[in-house]
Amino acid sequence: MSLIRQCSNEWFHLVSHSKKSQRTRNRKSISLNEKPRVGFISSNFKTHPVGWLSIGAIHSLANLDIANIDLFDLNPTDDFVNKAFRNLSLNWTDA
């Protein structure tokens, strides 16, 4: 075996073991019954082209009931589209 190949193998084993131990140490235990959380961040959860285009997708995701939806509004407003977004989210945050 060439010296370069041997060094490459040693480096691979050294690095792969250290990353694996870090990942398992920081990993939280997740229940199989727990739904994943999906977060959306926008300043346009309102009457705005982005709001109009995204409300349908987020509404469909909420109806599937496969994830908990978190919305983070960077530009809080009080219009009917914003209220519709608020009704879709389990966790709403004005940021």
Side-chain angles (χ1 to χ4, degrees):
M1 183 183 291
S2 72
L3 180 60
I4 293 174
R5 178 81 172 158
Q6 183 181 356
C7 290
S8 172
N9 286 339
E10 288 177 15
W11 178 255
F12 173 76
H13 291 295
L14 178 70
V15 171
S16 66
H17 291 301
S18 68
K19 286 186 177 179
K20 184 177 181 181
S21 64
Q22 284 179 341
R23 276 187 252 140
T24 56
R25 213 175 329 134
N26 295 334
R27 188 173 292 167
K28 294 179 182 177
S29 62
I30 299 174
S31 167
L32 294 177
N33 297 327
E34 187 176 330
K35 293 189 283 187
R37 293 175 66 187
V38 178
F40 296 91
I41 302 170
S42 181
S43 59
N44 296 311
F45 293 130
K46 60 183 179 180
T47 306
H48 181 276
V50 173
W52 289 110
L53 291 173
S54 58
I55 193 153
I58 296 173
H59 184 269
S60 296
L61 181 63
N63 283 343
L64 290 174
D65 198 33
I66 58 172
N68 293 327
I69 299 173
D70 298 333
L71 298 178
F72 299 89
D73 192 358
L74 301 177
N75 186 15
T77 57
D78 191 25
D79 63 17
F80 69 97
V81 176
N82 187 271
K83 289 177 184 173
F85 275 112
R86 288 176 187 263
N87 290 333
L88 293 176
S89 176
L90 285 175
N91 296 311
W92 178 274
T93 304
D94 288 331

